[in-house]
């Protein structure tokens, strides 16, 4: 059993390993790997994203040993090496603790412990649904990218204090777009022929507005720092909706991020704005119908086998538990209800058929049936 000193040293080494991996991100391929990890794990803390990346840059979805079994009906492969992430240690505070810490909170984080999780690639079992399974149409399609661009532009104009307008590329001095802090205005090249680049540019300039506006905390960062941040956020946002812009995004990042300190200091701020952009994009793609849960029409439900019907039901139950979007949760619940009705109808039919072919089996009296209903 390792002593406390050994455990402390191991933890320090684990964090140091993540630090070393981050400092190697000046290479564009490594930076791409890190941003891909960020897009996949945007709900994790920056510390845990770093730990996941350092130990397994290809990880796409992680969970604990038992969680894979109970929640996803999958088992961790024999010999799989765990990924360690930090989990808070929460303590119930005594009145003395509250006085010492000058707080009225009943509980507080008193430390962290490193717990083992495993990537889905280290497990076997039933398929696991992900957000990409719900994309109805390819967002790289001309029409869909244009629709999302227009929806994002309208949202910013109608729901924020940012003004988004367009000008011809010839008026932008060689740029694809720009953000003007003094007027809080974003301008995008109207005649840009690459629709994905046009949307990515809007994400880029929106990131500038959030990170480098007049009242923003990071408005005085050097130009190299600002451009690296903005393009990193845009790349993450496009990756999140399934559009690969690495051909120009990573070249752009590599042009500016020549100093290791630039990337290292920018990472936590990239994550903050990336989270915001991802949540905004997810909401807009759902409104456009570009992301929606797989839904079988009512007549198609009847064609599903009992196994597939139950499998769909379990998958939707997981989505209801995992989603934080109230509109999407309601949609999943409606689909659960439809599948539940189909399962119930089949069960009732099976019971009637059984009773018909087995008249000797005594059926409960009507009064008894009514008594157990609630």
């Amino acid at each position: 059993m390792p002593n406390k000193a050994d455990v402390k040293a191991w933890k320090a080494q684990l964090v140091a390993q993540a630090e070393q991996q981050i400092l190697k991100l000046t290479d564009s391929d490594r930076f791409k790997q890190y941003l891909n990890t960020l897009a996949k794990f945007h709900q994790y803390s920056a510390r845990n994203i770093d730990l996941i990346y350092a130990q397994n840059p290809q990880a796409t979805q992680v969970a604990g040993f038992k969680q894979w079994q109970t929640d996803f009906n999958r088992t961790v492969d024999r010999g799989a090496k765990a990924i360690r992430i930090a989990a808070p240690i929460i303590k119930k505070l005594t009145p003395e603790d509250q006085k010492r810490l000058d707080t009225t909170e009943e509980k507080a984080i008193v430390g962290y412990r490193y717990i083992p999780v495993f990537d889905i690639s280290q497990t076997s079992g039933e398929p696991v649904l992900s957000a990409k399974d719900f994309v109805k149409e390819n967002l790289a399609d001309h029409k869909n990218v244009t629709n999302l661009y227009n929806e994002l532009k309208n949202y910013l104009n109608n729901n924020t204090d940012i003004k988004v307008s367009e000008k011809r590329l010839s008026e932008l001095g060689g740029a694809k777009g720009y953000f003007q802090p003094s007027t809080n205005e974003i301008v995008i090249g109207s005649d840009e022929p690459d629709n994905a680049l046009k949307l990515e540019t809007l994400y880029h300039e929106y990131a500038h507005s959030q990170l480098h506006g007049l009242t923003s905390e990071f408005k005085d960062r050097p130009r190299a720092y600002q451009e690296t941040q903005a393009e990193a956020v845009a790349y993450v946002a496009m990756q999140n909706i399934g559009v690969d812009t690495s051909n120009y995004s990573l070249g752009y990042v590599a042009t500016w991020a020549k100093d290791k300190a630039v990337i290292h200091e920018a990472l936590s701020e990239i994550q903050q704005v990336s989270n915001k952009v991802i949540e905004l994009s997810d909401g807009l793609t759902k409104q456009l119908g570009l992301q929606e849960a797989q839904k079988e029409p009512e007549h198609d439900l009847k064609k599903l086998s009992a196994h597939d019907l139950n499998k769909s039901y379990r998958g939707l139950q997981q989505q209801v538990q995992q989603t934080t979007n109230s509109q999407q949760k309601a949609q999943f619940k409606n689909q659960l209800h439809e599948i539940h009705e189909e399962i119930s109808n089949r069960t009732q039919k099976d019971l009637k058929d059984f009773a018909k072919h087995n008249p000797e089996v005594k059926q409960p009296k009507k009064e008894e049936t009514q008594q157990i209903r609630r």
Side-chain angles (χ1 to χ4, degrees), residues 152-323:
L152 178 58
K153 181 178 70 172
N154 292 337
Y155 176 87
L156 295 177
N157 278 325
N158 297 329
N159 298 279
T160 73
D161 58 357
I162 302 169
K163 180 183 178 183
V164 183
S165 60
E166 296 184 351
K167 291 183 179 179
R168 294 187 63 80
L169 289 170
S170 59
E171 301 177 61
L172 302 183
K176 302 294 184 182
Y178 64 83
F179 167 66
Q180 183 61 49
S182 60
T183 58
N184 208 29
E185 180 183 12
I186 292 173
V187 177
I188 305 294
S190 60
D191 52 337
E192 168 57 52
D194 186 337
N195 292 282
L197 179 54
K198 194 173 181 181
L199 175 61
E200 194 262 2
T201 301
L202 181 53
Y203 281 132
H204 178 109
E205 303 307 336
Y206 175 70
H208 274 312
S209 74
Q210 300 303 293
L211 286 165
H212 314 127
L214 289 179
T215 60
S216 300
E217 182 180 356
F218 314 113
K219 60 180 172 41
D220 297 322
R221 295 295 194 193
R223 178 75 186 278
Y225 191 101
Q226 293 186 4
E227 295 304 324
T228 298
Q229 280 191 317
E231 192 63 18
V233 170
Y235 176 79
V236 169
M238 296 296 282
Q239 282 290 106
N240 181 62
I241 62 173
V243 181
D244 185 9
T245 60
S246 58
N247 287 341
Y248 38 78
S249 287
L250 298 178
Y252 191 98
V253 168
T255 299
W256 290 100
K258 296 178 180 179
D259 185 353
K260 291 183 179 181
V262 170
I263 292 179
H264 176 59
E265 294 175 8
L267 291 179
S268 63
E269 295 158 25
I270 287 173
Q271 186 204 2
Q272 292 172 20
V273 179
S274 293
N275 290 352
K276 187 174 182 178
V277 174
I278 286 172
E279 295 301 326
L280 175 59
S281 296
D282 284 349
L284 295 178
T285 53
K286 292 183 184 81
Q287 288 179 25
L288 289 169
L290 297 176
Q291 284 196 35
E292 60 181 24
Q294 294 170 331
K295 181 178 179 181
E296 297 287 346
E298 186 175 352
H299 64 278
D300 285 341
L301 288 179
K302 300 182 185 301
K303 296 179 181 180
L304 292 179
S305 66
H307 173 76
D308 289 341
L309 204 61
N310 287 322
K311 187 175 178 180
S312 296
Y313 189 84
R314 289 197 302 272
L316 283 167
Q317 281 183 316
Q318 291 175 10
Q319 294 302 312
V320 170
Q321 294 171 358
Q322 293 171 2
T323 185

Side-chain angles (χ1 to χ4, degrees), residues 65-238:
F65 188 94
K66 289 185 178 179
Q67 187 183 5
W68 278 121
Q69 292 180 325
T70 57
D71 292 352
F72 303 103
N73 201 21
R74 295 178 69 88
T75 55
V76 175
D77 298 335
R78 185 184 297 273
K81 184 178 179 180
I83 300 168
R84 298 279 174 168
I85 63 173
I89 300 172
I90 301 174
K91 175 187 175 183
K92 186 175 182 179
L93 300 179
T94 65
E96 292 76 15
D97 291 332
Q98 291 175 324
K99 184 176 181 181
R100 176 171 52 83
L101 298 173
D102 189 25
T103 181
T104 58
E105 296 293 330
E106 295 183 356
K107 297 179 181 180
I109 296 175
V110 296
Y112 289 86
R113 59 192 175 94
Y114 287 84
I115 62 172
V117 294
F118 299 87
D119 181 54
I120 188 173
S121 63
Q122 300 172 294
T123 67
S124 305
E126 291 191 2
V128 176
L129 299 176
S130 67
K132 295 299 181 289
D133 293 320
F134 299 135
V135 176
K136 186 173 67 174
E137 296 176 314
N138 186 354
L139 276 165
D141 175 79
H142 171 99
K143 179 181 177 182
N144 293 329
V145 167
T146 301
N147 287 344
L148 182 54
Y149 167 82
N150 289 329
E151 194 73 13
L152 178 58
K153 181 178 70 172
N154 292 337
Y155 176 87
L156 295 177
N157 278 325
N158 297 329
N159 298 279
T160 73
D161 58 357
I162 302 169
K163 180 183 178 183
V164 183
S165 60
E166 296 184 351
K167 291 183 179 179
R168 294 187 63 80
L169 289 170
S170 59
E171 301 177 61
L172 302 183
K176 302 294 184 182
Y178 64 83
F179 167 66
Q180 183 61 49
S182 60
T183 58
N184 208 29
E185 180 183 12
I186 292 173
V187 177
I188 305 294
S190 60
D191 52 337
E192 168 57 52
D194 186 337
N195 292 282
L197 179 54
K198 194 173 181 181
L199 175 61
E200 194 262 2
T201 301
L202 181 53
Y203 281 132
H204 178 109
E205 303 307 336
Y206 175 70
H208 274 312
S209 74
Q210 300 303 293
L211 286 165
H212 314 127
L214 289 179
T215 60
S216 300
E217 182 180 356
F218 314 113
K219 60 180 172 41
D220 297 322
R221 295 295 194 193
R223 178 75 186 278
Y225 191 101
Q226 293 186 4
E227 295 304 324
T228 298
Q229 280 191 317
E231 192 63 18
V233 170
Y235 176 79
V236 169
M238 296 296 282

